[in-house]
Amino acid sequence: MAKYENEGYCPSAWVPKTWNENSDKRLIGLWSLVGDSIVYVEEHEHHCTPDSAACNQAFGTDVIAYDLLAAIVRKNVNAKKIAVYQLHSESDNKQALSDIHKIMKRSTSPELVLHPASNFAAVLADTTYGMDVWIWDLRITK
């Protein structure tokens, strides 16, 4: 059983399965440092159940993967829990770019993670239990 399986989907074993021979080899080391602490939190107060396939891409196969994992390691490699959220509307499953600013404004020590040509944007924020990671899938963002 993964550390936080009772809170949502734990991608610890699944993200590495997205990698292939062309994947950045540095991801293996970074994932080994934080992967066991990551949980895609279900049924959050903002109805933010993350799309696990999209988040696995952000951590695994998208060009942002190295930058995202490196930022998490730099920010708090010893985070007990790294809670992943995706803020979206329930009616059309779309995300809003304006929410990036809202999350950054209300978070403690927020850090925006972007990469050219990526399908994703992320915000990292400090919490008492470790870190929150908010993911935007730019393919479904309005």
Side-chain angles (χ1 to χ4, degrees), residues 48 50-51 54-55 85-89 92-100 119-121 134-142:
C48 301
D51 174 348
C55 290
Y85 302 102
Q86 268 190 305
L87 189 61
H88 57 80
S89 69
D92 62 3
N93 200 34
K94 297 282 185 190
Q95 294 186 272
L97 285 175
S98 60
D99 287 334
I100 294 173
N119 289 316
F120 300 95
W134 295 85
I135 303 267
W136 281 264
D137 184 339
L138 301 176
R139 298 167 296 189
I140 61 163
T141 303
K142 54 184 175 179

Side-chain angles (χ1 to χ4, degrees), residues 66-83:
Y66 175 78
D67 293 340
L68 180 55
L69 288 170
I72 290 170
V73 167
R74 278 191 308 273
K75 191 163 187 60
N76 186 356
V77 70
N78 297 314
K80 181 178 175 185
K81 178 171 74 172
I82 300 166

Side-chain angles (χ1 to χ4, degrees), residues 45-136:
E45 64 193 68
H46 300 289
H47 306 287
C48 301
T49 302
D51 174 348
S52 58
C55 290
N56 285 354
Q57 289 174 9
F59 286 112
T61 57
D62 189 83
V63 294
I64 202 172
Y66 175 78
D67 293 340
L68 180 55
L69 288 170
I72 290 170
V73 167
R74 278 191 308 273
K75 191 163 187 60
N76 186 356
V77 70
N78 297 314
K80 181 178 175 185
K81 178 171 74 172
I82 300 166
V84 177
Y85 302 102
Q86 268 190 305
L87 189 61
H88 57 80
S89 69
E90 286 186 275
S91 61
D92 62 3
N93 200 34
K94 297 282 185 190
Q95 294 186 272
L97 285 175
S98 60
D99 287 334
I100 294 173
H101 183 283
K102 290 176 191 172
I103 294 297
M104 290 188 74
K105 189 173 180 182
R106 76 173 195 206
S107 297
T108 303
S109 300
E111 181 179 335
L112 180 63
V113 180
L114 300 168
H115 187 92
S118 175
N119 289 316
F120 300 95
V123 172
L124 313 180
D126 292 335
T127 64
T128 56
Y129 52 77
M131 186 182 313
D132 282 344
V133 177
W134 295 85
I135 303 267
W136 281 264

